[in-house]
mmCIF file with all atom_site columns, all heavy atoms in Angstrom:
data_model
loop_
_atom_site.group_PDB
_atom_site.id
_atom_site.type_symbol
_atom_site.label_atom_id
_atom_site.label_alt_id
_atom_site.label_comp_id
_atom_site.label_asym_id
_atom_site.label_entity_id
_atom_site.label_seq_id
_atom_site.pdbx_PDB_ins_code
_atom_site.Cartn_x
_atom_site.Cartn_y
_atom_site.Cartn_z
_atom_site.occupancy
_atom_site.B_iso_or_equiv
_atom_site.pdbx_formal_charge
_atom_site.auth_seq_id
_atom_site.auth_comp_id
_atom_site.auth_asym_id
_atom_site.auth_atom_id
_atom_site.pdbx_PDB_model_num
ATOM 1   N N   . GLY Y 1 25  ? 67.473 77.266  69.029 1.00 75.00 ? 25  GLY Y N   1
ATOM 2   C CA  . GLY Y 1 25  ? 67.959 78.613  69.316 1.00 75.00 ? 25  GLY Y CA  1
ATOM 3   C C   . GLY Y 1 25  ? 68.896 78.656  70.501 1.00 75.00 ? 25  GLY Y C   1
ATOM 4   O O   . GLY Y 1 25  ? 69.576 77.686  70.830 1.00 75.00 ? 25  GLY Y O   1
ATOM 5   N N   . VAL Y 1 26  ? 68.892 79.782  71.146 1.00 79.00 ? 26  VAL Y N   1
ATOM 6   C CA  . VAL Y 1 26  ? 69.807 80.039  72.249 1.00 79.00 ? 26  VAL Y CA  1
ATOM 7   C C   . VAL Y 1 26  ? 69.462 79.201  73.474 1.00 79.00 ? 26  VAL Y C   1
ATOM 8   O O   . VAL Y 1 26  ? 70.322 78.684  74.157 1.00 79.00 ? 26  VAL Y O   1
ATOM 9   C CB  . VAL Y 1 26  ? 69.721 81.537  72.599 1.00 79.00 ? 26  VAL Y CB  1
ATOM 10  C CG1 . VAL Y 1 26  ? 70.453 81.838  73.875 1.00 79.00 ? 26  VAL Y CG1 1
ATOM 11  C CG2 . VAL Y 1 26  ? 70.244 82.376  71.455 1.00 79.00 ? 26  VAL Y CG2 1
ATOM 12  N N   . ASP Y 1 28  ? 67.607 76.026  75.394 1.00 87.00 ? 28  ASP Y N   1
ATOM 13  C CA  . ASP Y 1 28  ? 67.233 74.647  75.060 1.00 87.00 ? 28  ASP Y CA  1
ATOM 14  C C   . ASP Y 1 28  ? 65.757 74.388  75.265 1.00 87.00 ? 28  ASP Y C   1
ATOM 15  O O   . ASP Y 1 28  ? 65.126 73.687  74.494 1.00 87.00 ? 28  ASP Y O   1
ATOM 16  C CB  . ASP Y 1 28  ? 68.054 73.675  75.918 1.00 87.00 ? 28  ASP Y CB  1
ATOM 17  C CG  . ASP Y 1 28  ? 69.547 73.889  75.727 1.00 87.00 ? 28  ASP Y CG  1
ATOM 18  O OD1 . ASP Y 1 28  ? 70.035 73.534  74.648 1.00 87.00 ? 28  ASP Y OD1 1
ATOM 19  O OD2 . ASP Y 1 28  ? 70.194 74.432  76.625 1.00 87.00 ? 28  ASP Y OD2 1
ATOM 20  N N   . GLU Y 1 158 ? 69.409 97.713  81.555 1.00 83.00 ? 158 GLU Y N   1
ATOM 21  C CA  . GLU Y 1 158 ? 70.520 98.612  81.220 1.00 83.00 ? 158 GLU Y CA  1
ATOM 22  C C   . GLU Y 1 158 ? 70.100 99.652  80.184 1.00 83.00 ? 158 GLU Y C   1
ATOM 23  O O   . GLU Y 1 158 ? 70.940 100.277 79.550 1.00 83.00 ? 158 GLU Y O   1
ATOM 24  C CB  . GLU Y 1 158 ? 71.718 97.797  80.729 1.00 83.00 ? 158 GLU Y CB  1
ATOM 25  C CG  . GLU Y 1 158 ? 71.304 96.713  79.775 1.00 83.00 ? 158 GLU Y CG  1
ATOM 26  C CD  . GLU Y 1 158 ? 72.441 95.850  79.260 1.00 83.00 ? 158 GLU Y CD  1
ATOM 27  O OE1 . GLU Y 1 158 ? 73.593 96.213  79.442 1.00 83.00 ? 158 GLU Y OE1 1
ATOM 28  O OE2 . GLU Y 1 158 ? 72.140 94.825  78.652 1.00 83.00 ? 158 GLU Y OE2 1
ATOM 29  N N   . THR Y 1 160 ? 67.946 103.141 79.027 1.00 89.00 ? 160 THR Y N   1
ATOM 30  C CA  . THR Y 1 160 ? 67.371 104.379 79.540 1.00 89.00 ? 160 THR Y CA  1
ATOM 31  C C   . THR Y 1 160 ? 66.312 104.900 78.577 1.00 89.00 ? 160 THR Y C   1
ATOM 32  O O   . THR Y 1 160 ? 66.519 104.908 77.366 1.00 89.00 ? 160 THR Y O   1
ATOM 33  C CB  . THR Y 1 160 ? 68.470 105.446 79.704 1.00 89.00 ? 160 THR Y CB  1
ATOM 34  O OG1 . THR Y 1 160 ? 69.534 104.867 80.440 1.00 89.00 ? 160 THR Y OG1 1
ATOM 35  C CG2 . THR Y 1 160 ? 67.942 106.654 80.444 1.00 89.00 ? 160 THR Y CG2 1
ATOM 36  N N   . ASP Y 1 208 ? 60.779 93.785  72.837 1.00 92.00 ? 208 ASP Y N   1
ATOM 37  C CA  . ASP Y 1 208 ? 62.148 93.351  73.138 1.00 92.00 ? 208 ASP Y CA  1
ATOM 38  C C   . ASP Y 1 208 ? 62.267 92.811  74.557 1.00 92.00 ? 208 ASP Y C   1
ATOM 39  O O   . ASP Y 1 208 ? 62.923 91.804  74.796 1.00 92.00 ? 208 ASP Y O   1
ATOM 40  C CB  . ASP Y 1 208 ? 63.126 94.517  72.956 1.00 92.00 ? 208 ASP Y CB  1
ATOM 41  C CG  . ASP Y 1 208 ? 63.338 94.854  71.483 1.00 92.00 ? 208 ASP Y CG  1
ATOM 42  O OD1 . ASP Y 1 208 ? 62.965 94.020  70.640 1.00 92.00 ? 208 ASP Y OD1 1
ATOM 43  O OD2 . ASP Y 1 208 ? 63.857 95.945  71.183 1.00 92.00 ? 208 ASP Y OD2 1
ATOM 44  N N   . LYS Y 1 231 ? 78.869 65.124  81.980 1.00 81.00 ? 231 LYS Y N   1
ATOM 45  C CA  . LYS Y 1 231 ? 79.162 65.625  80.630 1.00 81.00 ? 231 LYS Y CA  1
ATOM 46  C C   . LYS Y 1 231 ? 77.880 65.726  79.808 1.00 81.00 ? 231 LYS Y C   1
ATOM 47  O O   . LYS Y 1 231 ? 77.058 64.834  79.814 1.00 81.00 ? 231 LYS Y O   1
ATOM 48  C CB  . LYS Y 1 231 ? 80.134 64.675  79.938 1.00 81.00 ? 231 LYS Y CB  1
ATOM 49  C CG  . LYS Y 1 231 ? 81.518 65.238  79.891 1.00 81.00 ? 231 LYS Y CG  1
ATOM 50  C CD  . LYS Y 1 231 ? 82.294 64.874  78.655 1.00 81.00 ? 231 LYS Y CD  1
ATOM 51  C CE  . LYS Y 1 231 ? 83.328 65.934  78.336 1.00 81.00 ? 231 LYS Y CE  1
ATOM 52  N NZ  . LYS Y 1 231 ? 84.107 66.425  79.465 1.00 81.00 ? 231 LYS Y NZ  1
ATOM 53  N N   . GLY V 2 43  ? 73.719 91.149  79.584 1.00 90.00 ? 43  GLY V N   1
ATOM 54  C CA  . GLY V 2 43  ? 73.691 92.237  78.619 1.00 90.00 ? 43  GLY V CA  1
ATOM 55  C C   . GLY V 2 43  ? 74.849 92.129  77.647 1.00 90.00 ? 43  GLY V C   1
ATOM 56  O O   . GLY V 2 43  ? 75.893 91.528  77.956 1.00 90.00 ? 43  GLY V O   1
ATOM 57  N N   . SER V 2 97  ? 69.480 103.440 73.303 1.00 84.00 ? 97  SER V N   1
ATOM 58  C CA  . SER V 2 97  ? 68.791 102.226 73.760 1.00 84.00 ? 97  SER V CA  1
ATOM 59  C C   . SER V 2 97  ? 68.183 101.386 72.635 1.00 84.00 ? 97  SER V C   1
ATOM 60  O O   . SER V 2 97  ? 68.341 100.179 72.598 1.00 84.00 ? 97  SER V O   1
ATOM 61  C CB  . SER V 2 97  ? 67.676 102.584 74.723 1.00 84.00 ? 97  SER V CB  1
ATOM 62  O OG  . SER V 2 97  ? 68.161 102.689 76.014 1.00 84.00 ? 97  SER V OG  1
ATOM 63  N N   . TYR V 2 100 ? 70.763 99.692  70.583 1.00 91.00 ? 100 TYR V N   1
ATOM 64  C CA  . TYR V 2 100 ? 71.440 98.731  71.460 1.00 91.00 ? 100 TYR V CA  1
ATOM 65  C C   . TYR V 2 100 ? 70.651 97.424  71.519 1.00 91.00 ? 100 TYR V C   1
ATOM 66  O O   . TYR V 2 100 ? 71.192 96.331  71.413 1.00 91.00 ? 100 TYR V O   1
ATOM 67  C CB  . TYR V 2 100 ? 71.566 99.346  72.852 1.00 91.00 ? 100 TYR V CB  1
ATOM 68  C CG  . TYR V 2 100 ? 72.389 98.560  73.867 1.00 91.00 ? 100 TYR V CG  1
ATOM 69  C CD1 . TYR V 2 100 ? 73.527 99.103  74.426 1.00 91.00 ? 100 TYR V CD1 1
ATOM 70  C CD2 . TYR V 2 100 ? 72.004 97.287  74.276 1.00 91.00 ? 100 TYR V CD2 1
ATOM 71  C CE1 . TYR V 2 100 ? 74.264 98.397  75.363 1.00 91.00 ? 100 TYR V CE1 1
ATOM 72  C CE2 . TYR V 2 100 ? 72.736 96.573  75.198 1.00 91.00 ? 100 TYR V CE2 1
ATOM 73  C CZ  . TYR V 2 100 ? 73.863 97.140  75.748 1.00 91.00 ? 100 TYR V CZ  1
ATOM 74  O OH  . TYR V 2 100 ? 74.592 96.433  76.660 1.00 91.00 ? 100 TYR V OH  1
ATOM 75  N N   . ARG V 2 101 ? 69.333 97.553  71.688 1.00 89.00 ? 101 ARG V N   1
ATOM 76  C CA  . ARG V 2 101 ? 68.504 96.336  71.760 1.00 89.00 ? 101 ARG V CA  1
ATOM 77  C C   . ARG V 2 101 ? 68.490 95.607  70.427 1.00 89.00 ? 101 ARG V C   1
ATOM 78  O O   . ARG V 2 101 ? 68.505 94.381  70.368 1.00 89.00 ? 101 ARG V O   1
ATOM 79  C CB  . ARG V 2 101 ? 67.083 96.687  72.201 1.00 89.00 ? 101 ARG V CB  1
ATOM 80  C CG  . ARG V 2 101 ? 66.976 97.166  73.632 1.00 89.00 ? 101 ARG V CG  1
ATOM 81  C CD  . ARG V 2 101 ? 65.547 97.069  74.148 1.00 89.00 ? 101 ARG V CD  1
ATOM 82  N NE  . ARG V 2 101 ? 64.593 97.651  73.214 1.00 89.00 ? 101 ARG V NE  1
ATOM 83  C CZ  . ARG V 2 101 ? 64.259 98.942  73.168 1.00 89.00 ? 101 ARG V CZ  1
ATOM 84  N NH1 . ARG V 2 101 ? 64.811 99.785  74.002 1.00 89.00 ? 101 ARG V NH1 1
ATOM 85  N NH2 . ARG V 2 101 ? 63.397 99.376  72.286 1.00 89.00 ? 101 ARG V NH2 1
ATOM 86  N N   . GLU V 2 105 ? 69.739 91.741  69.702 1.00 91.00 ? 105 GLU V N   1
ATOM 87  C CA  . GLU V 2 105 ? 68.980 90.685  69.007 1.00 91.00 ? 105 GLU V CA  1
ATOM 88  C C   . GLU V 2 105 ? 69.720 90.141  67.802 1.00 91.00 ? 105 GLU V C   1
ATOM 89  O O   . GLU V 2 105 ? 69.722 88.942  67.535 1.00 91.00 ? 105 GLU V O   1
ATOM 90  C CB  . GLU V 2 105 ? 67.609 91.230  68.574 1.00 91.00 ? 105 GLU V CB  1
ATOM 91  C CG  . GLU V 2 105 ? 66.638 91.282  69.730 1.00 91.00 ? 105 GLU V CG  1
ATOM 92  C CD  . GLU V 2 105 ? 65.204 91.313  69.253 1.00 91.00 ? 105 GLU V CD  1
ATOM 93  O OE1 . GLU V 2 105 ? 64.830 90.403  68.487 1.00 91.00 ? 105 GLU V OE1 1
ATOM 94  O OE2 . GLU V 2 105 ? 64.478 92.252  69.624 1.00 91.00 ? 105 GLU V OE2 1
ATOM 95  N N   . LYS V 2 115 ? 77.163 79.036  66.805 1.00 92.00 ? 115 LYS V N   1
ATOM 96  C CA  . LYS V 2 115 ? 77.158 77.951  67.790 1.00 92.00 ? 115 LYS V CA  1
ATOM 97  C C   . LYS V 2 115 ? 76.933 76.605  67.108 1.00 92.00 ? 115 LYS V C   1
ATOM 98  O O   . LYS V 2 115 ? 77.636 75.632  67.377 1.00 92.00 ? 115 LYS V O   1
ATOM 99  C CB  . LYS V 2 115 ? 76.034 78.272  68.786 1.00 92.00 ? 115 LYS V CB  1
ATOM 100 C CG  . LYS V 2 115 ? 75.573 77.162  69.688 1.00 92.00 ? 115 LYS V CG  1
ATOM 101 C CD  . LYS V 2 115 ? 74.440 77.667  70.562 1.00 92.00 ? 115 LYS V CD  1
ATOM 102 C CE  . LYS V 2 115 ? 73.321 76.646  70.639 1.00 92.00 ? 115 LYS V CE  1
ATOM 103 N NZ  . LYS V 2 115 ? 72.266 77.031  71.579 1.00 92.00 ? 115 LYS V NZ  1
ATOM 104 N N   . GLU V 2 130 ? 75.390 68.454  73.108 1.00 47.00 ? 130 GLU V N   1
ATOM 105 C CA  . GLU V 2 130 ? 74.846 68.965  74.364 1.00 47.00 ? 130 GLU V CA  1
ATOM 106 C C   . GLU V 2 130 ? 74.129 67.882  75.138 1.00 47.00 ? 130 GLU V C   1
ATOM 107 O O   . GLU V 2 130 ? 73.556 66.997  74.544 1.00 47.00 ? 130 GLU V O   1
ATOM 108 C CB  . GLU V 2 130 ? 73.870 70.091  74.060 1.00 47.00 ? 130 GLU V CB  1
ATOM 109 C CG  . GLU V 2 130 ? 74.610 71.400  73.892 1.00 47.00 ? 130 GLU V CG  1
ATOM 110 C CD  . GLU V 2 130 ? 73.678 72.491  73.423 1.00 47.00 ? 130 GLU V CD  1
ATOM 111 O OE1 . GLU V 2 130 ? 72.948 73.042  74.248 1.00 47.00 ? 130 GLU V OE1 1
ATOM 112 O OE2 . GLU V 2 130 ? 73.674 72.754  72.221 1.00 47.00 ? 130 GLU V OE2 1
#
Side-chain angles (χ1 to χ4, degrees):
Chain Y
V26 170
D28 303 288
E158 44 181 347
T160 309
D208 288 345
K231 256 214 153 45
Chain V
S97 274
Y100 187 119
R101 292 198 311 274
E105 282 201 55
K115 165 182 136 174
E130 276 173 79

